[in-house]
Amino acid sequence: MTPPEESATAPRGARAPKAGETAEPAKAAGGSKAAGGTKAAGGGAKAAGGPKAAGGGSKASGGAEAAGGSKAPGGSKAAGGSKAAGRGKAAEPAAKAAGTARAGARGARPESHLGMVRRARKINRELAEVYPYAHPELDFRNPFELLVATVLSAQTTDLRVNQTTPALFAKYPTPEDLAAAVPEEVEELIRPTGFFRAKTKSIMGLAAALRDDFGGEVPGRLEDLVKLPGVGRKTAFVVLGNAFGVPGITVDTHFMRLARRWKWTESDDPVKIEAEVAAIFPKSEWTMLSHRVIFHGRRICHARKPACGACPITHLCPAYGEGETDPEKARKLLKYEKGGFPGQRLNPPPDYPGRPAPPLGAEE
């Protein structure tokens, strides 16, 4: 499952030449002359290397962007993917994003398909560094528990499912047990997840199908899983990827939103998105890619107000600026371990850096 550009800080005391007045050599931040001390053409400084800035309006470090992104004397870099003059580390994501060539940026060439593929794969590599602990956020001990938990996760949070399933699986640990349950008792147990009547019908139906058609075992094939009540491609790929090690792309609402924001696809159809994204990445990456993208969507790149100012991949994002760009304000939008809060799992993996979620009724 747009981008503004940002310029460096203006040099103190800079003055544009009046009409008919010969421009003085452009000065970089700190008082030294711009590259080579050359005169500005038509009011703007010459870019490093000699060619004039388009339209004569490109200033040296401290106004707009110097052509080529070369360093201006005085230590500040021109907009081109590096820090703006005089800015601290808090502004690095925004400054880094400002100078990146992005599809759709003003004055930039349209991004080629090859360029998009390279950018998409770089996003995946960088997300792997940000979320080395990415994992399925549903608690489970076997394929049956993961299958049921994934069906229950529709229209609710993984946290709520994780808080609900311990009592459910304690009472009905196998497909045979669940298939023979009293529906009203199952409804009461899963009520916190919402839509509990429809979900009871689905999980009892799939339990009966597992008992009758698959010997009480969860099948490890897509074509078998999608025949089970309440199981679609998304649920099937969650189970295949995390219980059987079969690569698959999980297109949930987070994945769909980010795939569109990052221009990996323009479709809003989950099956088409799955196919288009699958064509970008090696099959071996599909499952972990899904986890990383979903992690990022839940923690930083939110639907209504993305935390752009705290995002580590703004330099690769064509949608930079849709959310809060101020670093301090953006940090307050971070969720789960990125914001210092508990995660969604009551029993997270050992390498999870955050705190476990509290049991049902013990929320902080």
Side-chain angles (χ1 to χ4, degrees):
M1 148 97 127
T2 47
E5 301 244 344
E6 188 172 306
S7 53
T9 307
R12 189 174 297 174
R15 181 179 70 84
K18 298 179 181 178
E21 180 179 329
T22 303
E24 295 180 358
K27 295 181 180 180
S32 57
K33 293 182 180 179
T38 53
K39 291 185 178 181
K46 286 187 180 180
K52 295 181 181 179
S58 177
K59 298 178 183 177
S61 165
E65 303 163 1
S70 57
K71 289 186 180 179
S76 62
K77 295 180 182 179
S82 50
K83 296 179 184 177
R87 299 196 176 198
K89 288 186 177 180
E92 282 184 21
K96 193 176 183 182
T100 303
R102 298 185 292 257
R106 283 178 291 176
R109 293 180 180 179
E111 187 177 43
S112 66
H113 179 73
L114 178 59
M116 181 275 290
V117 170
R118 287 174 174 170
R119 179 172 57 81
R121 292 183 176 184
K122 189 170 184 181
I123 286 175
N124 182 41
R125 291 195 298 272
E126 296 202 11
L127 288 181
E129 296 179 3
V130 177
Y131 307 106
Y133 50 87
H135 57 270
E137 295 194 85
L138 290 168
D139 286 325
F140 69 98
R141 294 170 297 183
N142 53 59
F144 173 63
E145 290 188 356
L146 179 57
L147 177 60
V148 172
T150 307
V151 171
L152 293 178
S153 70
Q155 304 299 315
T156 191
T157 63
D158 287 356
L159 170 60
R160 185 61 71 195
V161 174
N162 292 335
Q163 293 172 326
T164 302
T165 52
L168 178 70
F169 295 139
K171 191 167 185 178
Y172 310 111
T174 68
E176 292 83 359
D177 294 325
L178 184 56
V182 176
E184 290 76 16
E185 293 179 1
V186 176
E187 289 176 2
E188 195 59 34
L189 285 171
I190 69 169
R191 182 183 290 269
T193 68
F195 302 96
F196 56 91
R197 290 190 179 89
K199 290 180 180 179
T200 293
K201 185 177 180 180
S202 292
I203 63 174
M204 289 188 67
L206 71 83
L210 293 178
R211 178 195 62 193
D212 299 340
D213 302 331
F214 299 99
E217 299 293 332
V218 176
R221 299 195 312 162
L222 176 65
E223 52 267 38
D224 292 329
L225 285 168
V226 295
K227 294 177 183 177
L228 299 173
V231 178
R233 292 179 69 86
K234 183 194 80 170
T235 297
F237 281 130
V238 169
V239 174
L240 289 172
N242 298 289
F244 294 100
V246 177
I249 294 174
T250 304
V251 183
D252 70 351
T253 54
H254 302 288
F255 193 99
M256 184 182 301
R257 179 177 73 253
L258 269 60
R260 289 173 57 85
R261 275 184 179 165
W262 293 336
K263 307 300 181 185
W264 295 357
T265 179
E266 294 182 355
S267 177
D268 56 6
D269 178 86
V271 176
K272 290 182 179 178
I273 292 173
E274 177 195 320
E276 290 180 23
V277 174
I280 297 173
F281 298 93
K283 191 172 183 178
S284 59
E285 286 289 309
W286 290 354
T287 299
M288 288 309 301
L289 169 72
S290 300
H291 290 323
R292 293 164 191 154
V293 173
I294 293 170
F295 257 58
H296 194 62
R298 285 175 170 167
R299 286 150 176 78
I300 296 178
C301 196
H302 312 134
R304 294 184 180 177
K305 200 168 186 181
C308 293
C311 178
I313 59 166
T314 50
H315 56 296
L316 299 169
C317 181
Y320 171 77
E322 287 186 6
E324 180 58 66
T325 58
D326 180 84
E328 292 300 325
K329 293 180 180 178
R331 271 195 286 271
K332 296 178 181 179
L333 300 175
L334 301 180
K335 296 182 179 179
Y336 304 114
E337 77 282 357
K338 290 299 181 182
F341 303 108
Q344 298 203 86
R345 294 189 67 167
L346 277 66
N347 298 296
D351 62 344
Y352 180 65
R355 292 178 286 157
L360 190 65
E363 288 86 350
E364 296 184 352

